[in-house]
mmCIF file of all heavy atoms in Angstrom:
data_model
loop_
_atom_site.group_PDB
_atom_site.id
_atom_site.type_symbol
_atom_site.label_atom_id
_atom_site.label_comp_id
_atom_site.label_asym_id
_atom_site.label_seq_id
_atom_site.Cartn_x
_atom_site.Cartn_y
_atom_site.Cartn_z
ATOM 1 N N ILE A 317 -6.844 -11.284 -0.686
ATOM 2 C CA ILE A 317 -6.010 -12.099 -1.511
ATOM 3 C C ILE A 317 -6.825 -13.041 -2.312
ATOM 4 O O ILE A 317 -7.717 -13.821 -1.769
ATOM 5 C CB ILE A 317 -5.011 -12.883 -0.718
ATOM 6 C CG1 ILE A 317 -4.018 -11.903 -0.016
ATOM 7 C CG2 ILE A 317 -4.265 -13.848 -1.601
ATOM 8 C CD1 ILE A 317 -3.168 -11.168 -0.847
ATOM 9 N N TRP A 319 -6.364 -16.164 -4.280
ATOM 10 C CA TRP A 319 -5.351 -17.204 -4.503
ATOM 11 C C TRP A 319 -5.332 -17.746 -5.923
ATOM 12 O O TRP A 319 -4.297 -18.486 -6.196
ATOM 13 C CB TRP A 319 -5.471 -18.310 -3.427
ATOM 14 C CG TRP A 319 -5.218 -17.747 -2.046
ATOM 15 C CD1 TRP A 319 -6.192 -17.552 -1.094
ATOM 16 C CD2 TRP A 319 -4.046 -17.425 -1.505
ATOM 17 N NE1 TRP A 319 -5.601 -17.028 0.059
ATOM 18 C CE2 TRP A 319 -4.328 -16.970 -0.156
ATOM 19 C CE3 TRP A 319 -2.738 -17.430 -1.932
ATOM 20 C CZ2 TRP A 319 -3.284 -16.574 0.706
ATOM 21 C CZ3 TRP A 319 -1.649 -17.030 -1.161
ATOM 22 C CH2 TRP A 319 -1.988 -16.591 0.209
ATOM 23 N N LEU A 326 0.637 -11.620 -6.441
ATOM 24 C CA LEU A 326 0.203 -11.624 -5.074
ATOM 25 C C LEU A 326 1.318 -10.952 -4.155
ATOM 26 O O LEU A 326 1.114 -10.206 -3.236
ATOM 27 C CB LEU A 326 -0.184 -12.937 -4.558
ATOM 28 C CG LEU A 326 -1.455 -13.524 -5.216
ATOM 29 C CD1 LEU A 326 -1.805 -14.898 -4.645
ATOM 30 C CD2 LEU A 326 -2.732 -12.541 -5.021
ATOM 31 N N ASP A 327 2.576 -11.364 -4.430
ATOM 32 C CA ASP A 327 3.719 -10.789 -3.661
ATOM 33 C C ASP A 327 3.777 -9.362 -3.865
ATOM 34 O O ASP A 327 3.975 -8.583 -2.926
ATOM 35 C CB ASP A 327 5.048 -11.444 -4.090
ATOM 36 C CG ASP A 327 6.222 -10.802 -3.527
ATOM 37 O OD1 ASP A 327 6.408 -10.853 -2.279
ATOM 38 O OD2 ASP A 327 7.087 -10.199 -4.378
ATOM 39 N N ILE A 330 0.901 -7.668 -1.825
ATOM 40 C CA ILE A 330 1.244 -7.621 -0.429
ATOM 41 C C ILE A 330 2.254 -6.570 -0.034
ATOM 42 O O ILE A 330 2.091 -5.704 0.910
ATOM 43 C CB ILE A 330 1.722 -8.978 0.114
ATOM 44 C CG1 ILE A 330 0.596 -9.981 -0.078
ATOM 45 C CG2 ILE A 330 2.302 -8.935 1.478
ATOM 46 C CD1 ILE A 330 1.049 -11.512 0.093
ATOM 47 N N THR A 339 -2.934 -6.489 3.502
ATOM 48 C CA THR A 339 -3.639 -7.535 2.754
ATOM 49 C C THR A 339 -4.208 -8.630 3.687
ATOM 50 O O THR A 339 -3.604 -8.693 4.926
ATOM 51 C CB THR A 339 -2.711 -8.171 1.700
ATOM 52 O OG1 THR A 339 -1.452 -8.567 2.333
ATOM 53 C CG2 THR A 339 -2.448 -7.220 0.495
ATOM 54 N N THR A 341 -6.448 -12.631 4.113
ATOM 55 C CA THR A 341 -7.138 -13.838 3.646
ATOM 56 C C THR A 341 -7.941 -14.285 4.745
ATOM 57 O O THR A 341 -8.128 -13.639 5.745
ATOM 58 C CB THR A 341 -6.160 -14.873 3.181
ATOM 59 O OG1 THR A 341 -6.799 -15.865 2.472
ATOM 60 C CG2 THR A 341 -5.189 -15.348 4.210
ATOM 61 N N LEU A 348 -7.177 -13.329 8.383
ATOM 62 C CA LEU A 348 -5.766 -13.461 8.642
ATOM 63 C C LEU A 348 -5.031 -12.401 7.835
ATOM 64 O O LEU A 348 -4.942 -12.501 6.631
ATOM 65 C CB LEU A 348 -5.293 -14.785 8.322
ATOM 66 C CG LEU A 348 -3.771 -15.217 8.461
ATOM 67 C CD1 LEU A 348 -3.464 -15.223 9.951
ATOM 68 C CD2 LEU A 348 -3.425 -16.561 7.795
ATOM 69 N N LYS A 349 -4.434 -11.364 8.485
ATOM 70 C CA LYS A 349 -3.613 -10.486 7.802
ATOM 71 C C LYS A 349 -2.258 -10.916 7.414
ATOM 72 O O LYS A 349 -1.669 -11.696 8.197
ATOM 73 C CB LYS A 349 -3.384 -9.159 8.661
ATOM 74 C CG LYS A 349 -4.735 -8.370 8.833
ATOM 75 C CD LYS A 349 -4.424 -6.952 9.468
ATOM 76 C CE LYS A 349 -3.824 -6.008 8.520
ATOM 77 N NZ LYS A 349 -3.705 -4.673 9.021
ATOM 78 N N ILE A 350 -1.754 -10.587 6.324
ATOM 79 C CA ILE A 350 -0.449 -11.059 5.758
ATOM 80 C C ILE A 350 0.465 -9.849 5.876
ATOM 81 O O ILE A 350 0.246 -8.867 5.113
ATOM 82 C CB ILE A 350 -0.550 -11.570 4.368
ATOM 83 C CG1 ILE A 350 -1.558 -12.748 4.298
ATOM 84 C CG2 ILE A 350 0.834 -12.044 3.881
ATOM 85 C CD1 ILE A 350 -1.845 -13.363 3.000
ATOM 86 N N HIS A 351 1.529 -9.976 6.629
ATOM 87 C CA HIS A 351 2.497 -8.865 6.772
ATOM 88 C C HIS A 351 3.718 -9.174 5.871
ATOM 89 O O HIS A 351 4.234 -8.122 5.257
ATOM 90 C CB HIS A 351 2.930 -8.717 8.183
ATOM 91 C CG HIS A 351 1.892 -8.160 8.990
ATOM 92 N ND1 HIS A 351 1.405 -6.785 8.956
ATOM 93 C CD2 HIS A 351 1.095 -8.652 10.059
ATOM 94 C CE1 HIS A 351 0.467 -6.540 9.851
ATOM 95 N NE2 HIS A 351 0.319 -7.632 10.490
ATOM 96 N N ARG A 352 4.175 -10.408 5.761
ATOM 97 C CA ARG A 352 5.327 -10.549 4.980
ATOM 98 C C ARG A 352 5.254 -11.902 4.220
ATOM 99 O O ARG A 352 4.760 -12.847 4.793
ATOM 100 C CB ARG A 352 6.704 -10.693 6.014
ATOM 101 C CG ARG A 352 6.985 -9.409 6.634
ATOM 102 C CD ARG A 352 7.757 -8.502 5.756
ATOM 103 N NE ARG A 352 8.117 -7.245 6.462
ATOM 104 C CZ ARG A 352 8.737 -6.201 5.967
ATOM 105 N NH1 ARG A 352 9.215 -6.341 4.644
ATOM 106 N NH2 ARG A 352 9.018 -5.134 6.606
ATOM 107 N N ALA A 353 5.743 -11.890 3.018
ATOM 108 C CA ALA A 353 5.671 -13.046 2.090
ATOM 109 C C ALA A 353 6.680 -12.984 1.119
ATOM 110 O O ALA A 353 7.329 -11.913 0.904
ATOM 111 C CB ALA A 353 4.201 -13.160 1.567
ATOM 112 N N CYS A 354 6.969 -14.038 0.332
ATOM 113 C CA CYS A 354 7.858 -14.007 -0.735
ATOM 114 C C CYS A 354 7.505 -15.059 -1.740
ATOM 115 O O CYS A 354 6.818 -16.079 -1.406
ATOM 116 C CB CYS A 354 9.275 -14.011 -0.415
ATOM 117 S SG CYS A 354 9.770 -15.522 0.493
ATOM 118 N N VAL A 355 7.931 -14.981 -3.001
ATOM 119 C CA VAL A 355 7.737 -15.969 -3.955
ATOM 120 C C VAL A 355 8.673 -17.206 -3.729
ATOM 121 O O VAL A 355 9.939 -16.954 -3.647
ATOM 122 C CB VAL A 355 7.870 -15.436 -5.332
ATOM 123 C CG1 VAL A 355 7.623 -16.498 -6.426
ATOM 124 C CG2 VAL A 355 6.957 -14.291 -5.602
ATOM 125 N N SER A 356 8.154 -18.331 -3.636
ATOM 126 C CA SER A 356 9.015 -19.514 -3.351
ATOM 127 C C SER A 356 9.615 -20.081 -4.665
ATOM 128 O O SER A 356 9.019 -19.878 -5.748
ATOM 129 C CB SER A 356 8.153 -20.578 -2.683
ATOM 130 O OG SER A 356 8.844 -21.832 -2.598
ATOM 131 N N GLY A 366 -4.828 -21.674 -2.872
ATOM 132 C CA GLY A 366 -5.251 -21.366 -1.478
ATOM 133 C C GLY A 366 -4.874 -22.530 -0.533
ATOM 134 O O GLY A 366 -4.993 -22.400 0.737
ATOM 135 N N ILE A 368 -2.569 -24.890 1.615
ATOM 136 C CA ILE A 368 -1.253 -24.839 2.296
ATOM 137 C C ILE A 368 -0.523 -26.087 1.846
ATOM 138 O O ILE A 368 -0.945 -27.223 2.200
ATOM 139 C CB ILE A 368 -1.426 -24.682 3.882
ATOM 140 C CG1 ILE A 368 -2.151 -23.380 4.114
ATOM 141 C CG2 ILE A 368 -0.083 -24.886 4.559
ATOM 142 C CD1 ILE A 368 -2.603 -23.262 5.552
ATOM 143 N N SER A 370 3.063 -26.496 2.385
ATOM 144 C CA SER A 370 4.241 -26.695 3.248
ATOM 145 C C SER A 370 4.185 -25.958 4.513
ATOM 146 O O SER A 370 3.656 -24.805 4.529
ATOM 147 C CB SER A 370 5.580 -26.418 2.513
ATOM 148 O OG SER A 370 5.640 -25.050 2.177
ATOM 149 N N VAL A 371 4.682 -26.493 5.616
ATOM 150 C CA VAL A 371 4.595 -25.802 6.892
ATOM 151 C C VAL A 371 5.926 -26.180 7.686
ATOM 152 O O VAL A 371 5.964 -26.555 8.827
ATOM 153 C CB VAL A 371 3.459 -26.276 7.844
ATOM 154 C CG1 VAL A 371 2.197 -25.718 7.238
ATOM 155 C CG2 VAL A 371 3.380 -27.838 7.856
ATOM 156 N N SER A 372 7.072 -25.833 7.005
ATOM 157 C CA SER A 372 8.417 -26.166 7.616
ATOM 158 C C SER A 372 9.385 -24.948 7.455
ATOM 159 O O SER A 372 9.023 -24.040 6.759
ATOM 160 C CB SER A 372 9.046 -27.293 6.887
ATOM 161 O OG SER A 372 9.211 -26.937 5.538
ATOM 162 N N GLY A 373 10.369 -24.938 8.370
ATOM 163 C CA GLY A 373 11.356 -23.945 8.285
ATOM 164 C C GLY A 373 10.901 -22.495 8.685
ATOM 165 O O GLY A 373 11.423 -21.544 8.193
ATOM 166 N N GLY A 374 9.794 -22.457 9.560
ATOM 167 C CA GLY A 374 9.290 -21.193 9.935
ATOM 168 C C GLY A 374 8.518 -20.451 8.878
ATOM 169 O O GLY A 374 8.331 -19.197 8.940
ATOM 170 N N ALA A 375 8.037 -21.159 7.840
ATOM 171 C CA ALA A 375 7.352 -20.555 6.683
ATOM 172 C C ALA A 375 6.196 -21.512 6.367
ATOM 173 O O ALA A 375 6.113 -22.633 6.686
ATOM 174 C CB ALA A 375 8.237 -20.364 5.547
ATOM 175 N N MET A 376 5.244 -20.850 5.621
ATOM 176 C CA MET A 376 4.017 -21.599 5.152
ATOM 177 C C MET A 376 3.899 -21.358 3.698
ATOM 178 O O MET A 376 3.595 -20.199 3.315
ATOM 179 C CB MET A 376 2.797 -21.061 5.978
ATOM 180 C CG MET A 376 1.515 -21.806 5.744
ATOM 181 S SD MET A 376 0.357 -21.397 7.043
ATOM 182 C CE MET A 376 -0.196 -19.676 6.596
ATOM 183 N N GLY A 377 4.005 -22.415 2.931
ATOM 184 C CA GLY A 377 3.836 -22.248 1.525
ATOM 185 C C GLY A 377 2.405 -22.481 1.080
ATOM 186 O O GLY A 377 1.741 -23.429 1.583
ATOM 187 N N VAL A 378 1.972 -21.597 0.168
ATOM 188 C CA VAL A 378 0.531 -21.656 -0.297
ATOM 189 C C VAL A 378 0.534 -21.706 -1.712
ATOM 190 O O VAL A 378 1.252 -20.929 -2.451
ATOM 191 C CB VAL A 378 -0.218 -20.386 0.198
ATOM 192 C CG1 VAL A 378 -1.682 -20.521 -0.246
ATOM 193 C CG2 VAL A 378 -0.084 -20.126 1.661
ATOM 194 N N THR A 380 -0.711 -21.010 -5.286
ATOM 195 C CA THR A 380 -1.505 -19.928 -5.973
ATOM 196 C C THR A 380 -1.961 -20.422 -7.396
ATOM 197 O O THR A 380 -1.773 -21.576 -7.700
ATOM 198 C CB THR A 380 -0.623 -18.671 -6.118
ATOM 199 O OG1 THR A 380 0.422 -18.912 -7.151
ATOM 200 C CG2 THR A 380 -0.029 -18.288 -4.812
ATOM 201 N N ILE A 384 4.219 -20.889 -5.911
ATOM 202 C CA ILE A 384 4.026 -20.969 -4.460
ATOM 203 C C ILE A 384 4.348 -19.755 -3.770
ATOM 204 O O ILE A 384 5.481 -19.201 -4.080
ATOM 205 C CB ILE A 384 4.901 -22.180 -3.880
ATOM 206 C CG1 ILE A 384 4.664 -23.461 -4.559
ATOM 207 C CG2 ILE A 384 4.500 -22.314 -2.398
ATOM 208 C CD1 ILE A 384 3.327 -24.018 -4.585
ATOM 209 N N LEU A 385 3.458 -19.214 -2.948
ATOM 210 C CA LEU A 385 3.732 -18.039 -2.178
ATOM 211 C C LEU A 385 4.089 -18.375 -0.751
ATOM 212 O O LEU A 385 3.215 -19.186 -0.108
ATOM 213 C CB LEU A 385 2.600 -17.043 -2.247
ATOM 214 C CG LEU A 385 2.876 -15.632 -1.584
ATOM 215 C CD1 LEU A 385 3.771 -14.878 -2.481
ATOM 216 C CD2 LEU A 385 1.532 -14.915 -1.392
ATOM 217 N N THR A 386 5.227 -17.968 -0.231
ATOM 218 C CA THR A 386 5.571 -18.331 1.170
ATOM 219 C C THR A 386 5.262 -17.202 2.116
ATOM 220 O O THR A 386 5.798 -16.112 1.912
ATOM 221 C CB THR A 386 7.125 -18.633 1.225
ATOM 222 O OG1 THR A 386 7.388 -19.736 0.357
ATOM 223 C CG2 THR A 386 7.585 -19.007 2.587
ATOM 224 N N LEU A 387 4.467 -17.469 3.116
ATOM 225 C CA LEU A 387 4.130 -16.525 4.149
ATOM 226 C C LEU A 387 5.116 -16.634 5.334
ATOM 227 O O LEU A 387 5.312 -17.805 5.754
ATOM 228 C CB LEU A 387 2.621 -16.755 4.583
ATOM 229 C CG LEU A 387 1.624 -16.886 3.509
ATOM 230 C CD1 LEU A 387 0.218 -16.886 4.173
ATOM 231 C CD2 LEU A 387 1.748 -15.724 2.492
ATOM 232 N N THR A 388 5.502 -15.480 5.795
ATOM 233 C CA THR A 388 6.521 -15.612 6.915
ATOM 234 C C THR A 388 6.070 -14.714 8.177
ATOM 235 O O THR A 388 6.515 -15.088 9.298
ATOM 236 C CB THR A 388 7.930 -15.093 6.487
ATOM 237 O OG1 THR A 388 7.685 -13.671 5.906
ATOM 238 C CG2 THR A 388 8.539 -15.999 5.450
ATOM 239 N N GLU A 389 5.163 -13.761 8.003
ATOM 240 C CA GLU A 389 4.621 -13.039 9.098
ATOM 241 C C GLU A 389 3.141 -12.796 8.831
ATOM 242 O O GLU A 389 2.763 -12.307 7.783
ATOM 243 C CB GLU A 389 5.280 -11.605 9.294
ATOM 244 C CG GLU A 389 6.613 -11.699 10.134
ATOM 245 C CD GLU A 389 7.096 -10.303 10.535
ATOM 246 O OE1 GLU A 389 6.373 -9.606 11.211
ATOM 247 O OE2 GLU A 389 8.115 -10.010 10.027
ATOM 248 N N VAL A 390 2.364 -13.108 9.860
ATOM 249 C CA VAL A 390 0.869 -12.948 9.760
ATOM 250 C C VAL A 390 0.292 -12.400 10.930
ATOM 251 O O VAL A 390 0.991 -12.216 11.999
ATOM 252 C CB VAL A 390 0.242 -14.255 9.430
ATOM 253 C CG1 VAL A 390 0.666 -14.767 8.045
ATOM 254 C CG2 VAL A 390 0.475 -15.262 10.548
ATOM 255 N N GLN A 391 -0.985 -11.972 10.921
ATOM 256 C CA GLN A 391 -1.672 -11.518 12.105
ATOM 257 C C GLN A 391 -3.096 -12.082 12.158
ATOM 258 O O GLN A 391 -3.978 -11.594 11.391
ATOM 259 C CB GLN A 391 -1.690 -10.008 12.170
ATOM 260 C CG GLN A 391 -2.339 -9.433 13.403
ATOM 261 C CD GLN A 391 -2.239 -7.908 13.486
ATOM 262 O OE1 GLN A 391 -1.530 -7.236 12.615
ATOM 263 N NE2 GLN A 391 -2.845 -7.292 14.368
ATOM 264 N N MET A 398 2.618 -11.913 14.146
ATOM 265 C CA MET A 398 3.472 -12.994 14.630
ATOM 266 C C MET A 398 4.220 -13.736 13.525
ATOM 267 O O MET A 398 3.815 -13.516 12.396
ATOM 268 C CB MET A 398 2.632 -14.016 15.468
ATOM 269 C CG MET A 398 1.579 -14.758 14.633
ATOM 270 S SD MET A 398 0.584 -15.948 15.612
ATOM 271 C CE MET A 398 -0.237 -14.869 16.803
ATOM 272 N N LEU A 399 5.341 -14.312 13.940
ATOM 273 C CA LEU A 399 5.961 -15.123 12.919
ATOM 274 C C LEU A 399 5.105 -16.344 12.527
ATOM 275 O O LEU A 399 4.277 -16.830 13.394
ATOM 276 C CB LEU A 399 7.281 -15.698 13.518
ATOM 277 C CG LEU A 399 8.402 -14.636 13.923
ATOM 278 C CD1 LEU A 399 9.601 -15.335 14.492
ATOM 279 C CD2 LEU A 399 8.823 -13.879 12.583
ATOM 280 N N VAL A 400 5.160 -16.799 11.298
ATOM 281 C CA VAL A 400 4.388 -17.839 10.810
ATOM 282 C C VAL A 400 4.622 -19.160 11.651
ATOM 283 O O VAL A 400 3.625 -19.925 11.877
ATOM 284 C CB VAL A 400 4.569 -18.088 9.300
ATOM 285 C CG1 VAL A 400 4.164 -19.466 8.872
ATOM 286 C CG2 VAL A 400 3.744 -17.079 8.564
ATOM 287 N N SER A 401 5.804 -19.315 12.069
ATOM 288 C CA SER A 401 6.110 -20.494 12.953
ATOM 289 C C SER A 401 5.179 -20.563 14.128
ATOM 290 O O SER A 401 4.694 -21.616 14.598
ATOM 291 C CB SER A 401 7.595 -20.562 13.323
ATOM 292 O OG SER A 401 7.965 -19.342 13.934
ATOM 293 N N PHE A 403 2.295 -19.072 14.392
ATOM 294 C CA PHE A 403 0.859 -19.216 13.893
ATOM 295 C C PHE A 403 0.649 -20.727 13.626
ATOM 296 O O PHE A 403 -0.361 -21.319 14.049
ATOM 297 C CB PHE A 403 0.722 -18.431 12.587
ATOM 298 C CG PHE A 403 -0.646 -18.636 12.021
ATOM 299 C CD1 PHE A 403 -1.787 -18.165 12.559
ATOM 300 C CD2 PHE A 403 -0.759 -19.425 10.825
ATOM 301 C CE1 PHE A 403 -3.047 -18.448 11.960
ATOM 302 C CE2 PHE A 403 -1.987 -19.582 10.216
ATOM 303 C CZ PHE A 403 -3.125 -19.102 10.749
ATOM 304 N N ILE A 404 1.606 -21.399 12.989
ATOM 305 C CA ILE A 404 1.553 -22.755 12.648
ATOM 306 C C ILE A 404 1.375 -23.624 13.917
ATOM 307 O O ILE A 404 0.457 -24.528 14.061
ATOM 308 C CB ILE A 404 2.641 -23.300 11.923
ATOM 309 C CG1 ILE A 404 2.720 -22.693 10.415
ATOM 310 C CG2 ILE A 404 2.753 -24.859 11.852
ATOM 311 C CD1 ILE A 404 4.096 -22.908 9.751
ATOM 312 N N LEU A 415 -6.611 -21.703 2.735
ATOM 313 C CA LEU A 415 -6.909 -20.244 2.926
ATOM 314 C C LEU A 415 -8.016 -19.849 1.969
ATOM 315 O O LEU A 415 -7.875 -20.208 0.764
ATOM 316 C CB LEU A 415 -5.601 -19.485 2.727
ATOM 317 C CG LEU A 415 -4.514 -19.830 3.624
ATOM 318 C CD1 LEU A 415 -3.127 -18.978 3.302
ATOM 319 C CD2 LEU A 415 -4.742 -19.511 5.105
#
Side-chain angles (χ1 to χ4, degrees):
I317 297 293
W319 293 106
L326 293 179
D327 171 62
I330 291 165
T339 49
T341 186
L348 180 69
K349 289 191 76 172
I350 300 172
H351 288 291
R352 294 282 179 178
C354 61
V355 178
S356 172
I368 296 169
S370 64
V371 288
S372 61
M376 186 165 75
V378 184
T380 71
I384 308 296
L385 190 70
T386 299
L387 311 187
T388 55
E389 271 190 68
V390 296
Q391 184 173 353
M398 62 181 67
L399 296 174
V400 158
S401 55
F403 174 72
I404 292 169
L415 297 176

